[in-house]
Amino acid sequence: TLGTQTDYRDGEAQTDPYSPEYVVPGSIPELLTLATLAWGRGLPAGLAEVEMIERAREKRAWEATLPAMDSASNIAKRRKMMDDMERKEWAFREQEIEKLQEARLELLKELLRRQEENQNKLHAKCLDDQWQNHQKAKEEKIKKIQHDCALMLRKLIAKRKNVMGKLERRDIIKEYTDFASQTYAPLSRNGYFPDNHSECYVVKNCYLDTFAGLCELEASLPDYITQVKVKAPKSKYATTETGFVKRSARLEVTLAQVHQALLEKKKVKEPKKPFHFLEKVEKPILRPPTPTLENPSIEEEETELAVICLQKLLRGRAIQNMMFEEKEKRLELIRELRTTQALQEDGQLLLEAEAQVTLALQRQQKLQMDKLSSVENHLAREEGRALANMFDFLSKELVRLQEERKIHAFVMLAERERRMREAEESGRRQAEERRRQEEDEVFRQAREGHWWGLHQRTIDSYLEDIILSSIERAAEEQAREEVQRRAAEINDIAYEMESRRTRLQSEEIVAELVYDFLIPEAEKMSIREKVRQSQRKHIYAAHRIIHRGTE
């Protein structure tokens, strides 16, 4: 019986649609597969939700077409179909990921574009501010130049008036006839300031300068000017002694105003004045005659009761026929309800038999699933064993390669040290040879005779060849022994490190290799990109300034 009106729309006060609890007898309808969707999370459904529903329908249809697991061929066929479906799902998932990545990439591009636009706007604003500052400085310089120009022009005009430098007498008549002369409008640059003698324009009055004059002026004014009486306005509301207006009084005044406004709107017409001599005589209203009821006879009452009973029988039969027709129309629904609720014993027995058959099928399916899971477990074990052997072989190969690189490094170091020692030994040998040559030359010069000198040179060359060959052979053997000894020591050290090294140390070695080869290159690339980005804005600003200047 009451109505309300709000300031809000239905959409602003709309809540999530109500979903009551339900119990599904028998098969699950397709609509309940969408129970995960809610208002704001998939509802109202869009294109993505429609595609999801179509994929779910296709998957249910595909599940219905899967062969039973009752033979090896069916199991192989089922596994092949499941593998194909899994590949399709993975491909669809990859497409979704690619779409998501493309959307993120587009968003990132948009953000970068906005950032670049904001940066360009900021640079443009900075350049505009600088341009405004330069323009202001330019205008100030131009104003100063124009002012100096006007000053110099005035000086030149004044000098040009008296080029010959003759003295002229003052022409008083001309000055007083020219209203633009110094007599009427003197210039301040000539030493005249109009505000110096401003007191001469002040109005002097005895009534304003002296106290007696002020008293006389006040006495001459009427009383209503000097003695102002202000009457306080009467309040519309009934106030208390302290001047507070009660709520009841304010409400009474408001109601009186509303009542007055309603009366003005109604515009009640004044009733017509009655006649002085004529009076209307009202006639009394005639009452209708009182109805009378005759007492019916006993036969009529019995006949009426029989007719009423016959009517009840006919109406009951008609309702019964209508119910029978409706029951025939909805016989399938009644049978479904009877089988669902198990109201009859036959239905209960059928349901129990179906339940037994279902349990037997479930047991058989469970056994088949157990067999399939055991086969899969064996296959997974074999796959794990093969993968473990492969990973073991790869790790050993990695260790072998690392050790081979270490040994190669040690060999290179040994070779370098050998060459350094050979260089030192060759230097010492050359010094000894030089000293021996000097001694031989001294000995040769000391000896006399050509024959002795010839034999001496022959002996020296022979001995020199023998000594050089023996030294080279000895050095080669010594170097070979040194390399073998160092290689044995390096092998012992490498085997000992291999026996003590853990998996963490191996990962550290790999991490060091990655850190030494990959990370420095990535850092160099990032530094180059930062330098390029930092230089780009300066180049862009310089280009804009140059292009603006050329325009």
Side-chain angles (χ1 to χ4, degrees):
T1 60
L2 298 178
T4 59
Q5 185 175 3
T6 65
D7 296 335
Y8 301 97
R9 295 178 59 194
D10 294 340
E12 296 176 354
Q14 181 64 38
T15 58
D16 292 338
Y18 173 66
S19 298
E21 299 293 336
Y22 55 86
V23 178
V24 181
S27 61
I28 298 175
E30 185 183 5
L31 187 61
L32 292 182
T33 57
L34 307 177
T36 55
L37 302 179
W39 184 262
R41 298 190 305 274
L43 292 178
L47 181 60
E49 286 74 16
V50 172
E51 291 179 355
M52 182 190 69
I53 294 169
E54 293 296 331
R55 287 197 305 273
R57 287 177 177 174
E58 291 178 0
K59 191 170 183 180
R60 285 196 296 272
W62 172 78
E63 289 177 353
T65 58
L66 287 174
M69 299 176 62
D70 52 0
S71 63
S73 59
N74 288 340
I75 291 171
K77 186 177 179 182
R78 185 186 182 94
R79 184 178 298 169
K80 184 178 180 182
M81 292 175 68
M82 292 176 71
D83 292 340
D84 295 340
M85 180 55 69
E86 188 175 1
R87 291 193 192 93
K88 290 181 182 179
E89 289 179 354
W90 278 111
F92 177 74
R93 181 58 181 165
E94 288 178 357
Q95 292 177 1
E96 287 187 344
I97 292 170
E98 288 178 358
K99 290 181 181 178
L100 183 61
Q101 288 178 352
E102 290 178 357
R104 290 180 178 175
L105 184 60
E106 292 295 331
L107 180 61
L108 182 60
K109 288 181 180 178
E110 183 68 21
L111 291 175
L112 291 174
R113 186 182 62 78
R114 291 181 182 176
Q115 184 179 3
E116 189 175 357
E117 288 180 357
N118 295 332
Q119 196 72 16
N120 294 336
K121 289 180 182 178
L122 184 61
H123 293 328
K125 185 178 179 183
C126 293
L127 292 174
D128 291 339
D129 293 340
Q130 292 181 3
W131 185 77
Q132 292 290 340
N133 295 331
H134 289 304
Q135 287 294 112
K136 288 180 181 178
K138 178 183 174 183
E139 290 175 358
E140 289 178 357
K141 288 182 180 179
I142 291 171
K143 286 181 181 178
K144 187 177 179 181
I145 292 169
Q146 290 176 354
H147 180 264
D148 295 340
C149 180
L151 182 62
M152 296 304 294
L153 287 174
R154 283 197 301 269
K155 289 182 180 180
L156 290 173
I157 291 168
K159 287 181 180 180
R160 191 174 293 174
K161 286 181 180 179
N162 191 5
V163 179
M164 303 302 293
K166 296 180 180 181
L167 297 175
E168 294 181 0
R169 288 188 179 184
R170 180 182 177 189
D171 192 355
I172 300 174
I173 296 172
K174 185 179 179 180
E175 290 180 358
Y176 276 91
T177 54
D178 186 10
F179 292 99
S181 64
Q182 297 289 328
T183 305
Y184 295 102
L187 298 175
S188 59
R189 68 170 177 267
N190 295 332
Y192 181 80
F193 300 97
D195 295 336
N196 289 344
H197 305 286
S198 60
E199 64 273 4
C200 62
Y201 303 107
V202 178
V203 178
K204 296 180 181 179
N205 195 342
C206 62
Y207 290 104
L208 301 177
D209 295 341
T210 60
F211 180 72
L214 289 173
C215 292
E216 186 178 356
L217 182 62
E218 186 178 359
S220 65
L221 296 174
D223 294 338
Y224 70 88
I225 295 176
T226 58
Q227 297 177 2
V228 180
K229 294 181 181 180
V230 180
K231 293 182 180 180
K234 293 182 180 180
S235 177
K236 298 180 182 179
Y237 312 106
T239 59
T240 58
E241 296 178 356
T242 57
F244 178 73
V245 180
K246 293 184 178 180
R247 185 181 295 175
S248 58
R250 191 184 296 110
L251 185 61
E252 288 178 0
V253 173
T254 305
L255 290 174
Q257 292 176 356
V258 172
H259 179 67
Q260 187 66 26
L262 291 174
L263 290 178
E264 290 177 359
K265 286 184 178 181
K266 285 182 179 179
K267 294 181 181 180
V268 180
K269 296 181 180 179
E270 296 181 357
K272 294 181 180 180
K273 295 182 180 179
F275 296 102
H276 293 284
F277 303 102
L278 296 176
E279 293 183 357
K280 185 178 178 180
V281 179
E282 295 182 357
K283 295 181 180 181
I285 299 172
L286 297 176
R287 296 181 65 183
T290 303
T292 57
L293 182 64
E294 296 180 357
N295 293 326
S297 60
I298 297 172
E299 294 179 356
E300 291 179 355
E301 287 184 357
E302 291 179 353
T303 304
E304 186 175 0
L305 291 173
V307 170
I308 291 169
C309 182
L310 183 62
Q311 287 178 355
K312 288 181 179 181
L313 289 173
L314 293 174
R315 287 174 182 171
R317 190 61 180 173
I319 292 169
Q320 186 177 4
N321 291 333
M322 185 173 61
M323 290 178 65
F324 182 76
E325 290 176 359
E326 295 295 331
K327 188 188 79 170
E328 290 293 332
K329 288 180 181 179
R330 294 168 178 80
L331 187 60
E332 297 294 333
L333 182 59
I334 293 171
R335 289 176 182 174
E336 185 178 355
L337 291 174
R338 285 178 179 177
T339 54
T340 304
Q341 299 179 1
L343 298 176
Q344 297 180 358
E345 293 181 358
D346 296 336
Q348 291 180 358
L349 293 175
L350 290 173
L351 289 175
E352 289 178 358
E354 290 179 359
Q356 293 294 331
V357 172
T358 304
L359 290 174
L361 290 174
Q362 288 179 355
R363 291 195 199 94
Q364 186 178 1
Q365 188 176 5
K366 186 177 180 181
L367 291 173
Q368 292 177 357
M369 291 298 293
D370 291 338
K371 291 180 181 179
L372 184 61
S373 62
S374 63
V375 172
E376 289 178 355
N377 290 331
H378 287 299
L379 292 174
R381 192 181 300 111
E382 294 298 329
E383 289 176 358
R385 188 179 301 166
L387 290 174
N389 293 332
M390 184 175 64
F391 289 148
D392 186 19
F393 174 73
L394 292 176
S395 64
K396 288 179 179 179
E397 285 294 321
L398 178 62
V399 171
R400 186 182 65 78
L401 290 173
Q402 292 174 358
E403 294 301 327
E404 187 176 352
R405 289 180 181 178
K406 285 183 180 179
I407 292 168
H408 181 67
F410 286 135
V411 169
M412 294 295 290
L413 291 173
E415 185 69 21
R416 181 172 174 272
E417 188 175 359
R418 184 182 66 81
R419 289 178 180 176
M420 290 176 66
R421 288 185 179 181
E422 285 182 357
E424 293 176 358
E425 187 67 27
S426 63
R428 287 196 297 269
R429 188 165 58 251
Q430 288 176 4
E432 291 177 359
E433 290 291 336
R434 195 180 301 111
R435 189 171 58 254
R436 188 179 297 137
Q437 288 177 4
E438 290 176 359
E439 292 176 356
D440 292 342
E441 184 67 25
V442 171
F443 179 73
R444 187 180 63 79
Q445 290 178 5
R447 293 288 184 180
E448 293 179 356
H450 180 69
W451 180 81
W452 175 254
L454 181 59
H455 284 281
Q456 188 64 34
R457 285 194 298 272
T458 305
I459 293 168
D460 291 340
S461 62
Y462 176 70
L463 292 175
E464 185 178 357
D465 293 336
I466 293 171
I467 291 168
L468 288 175
S469 61
S470 61
I471 289 171
E472 289 178 358
R473 194 181 300 109
E476 185 177 359
E477 291 178 358
Q478 187 178 359
R480 189 179 293 107
E481 291 176 358
E482 185 69 22
V483 169
Q484 290 178 358
R485 184 176 61 81
R486 289 293 182 88
E489 292 178 358
I490 291 169
N491 287 333
D492 296 336
I493 294 169
Y495 291 149
E496 187 177 356
M497 291 174 64
E498 179 64 25
S499 61
R500 293 181 180 177
R501 189 175 64 187
T502 59
R503 182 180 180 184
L504 182 60
Q505 292 178 353
S506 301
E507 293 178 355
E508 288 180 356
I509 292 169
V510 177
E512 288 178 358
L513 292 174
V514 173
Y515 182 79
D516 291 337
F517 289 101
L518 296 181
I519 294 177
E521 186 65 25
E523 290 180 355
K524 289 179 183 178
M525 292 173 67
S526 63
I527 290 169
R528 292 196 197 101
E529 187 64 25
K530 288 180 181 178
V531 171
R532 193 180 297 109
Q533 291 293 336
S534 63
Q535 291 177 354
R536 186 180 296 170
K537 56 182 181 182
H538 301 297
I539 295 170
Y540 181 70
H543 286 178
R544 286 196 62 183
I545 291 169
I546 292 167
H547 291 308
R548 185 180 297 173
T550 55
E551 288 173 2

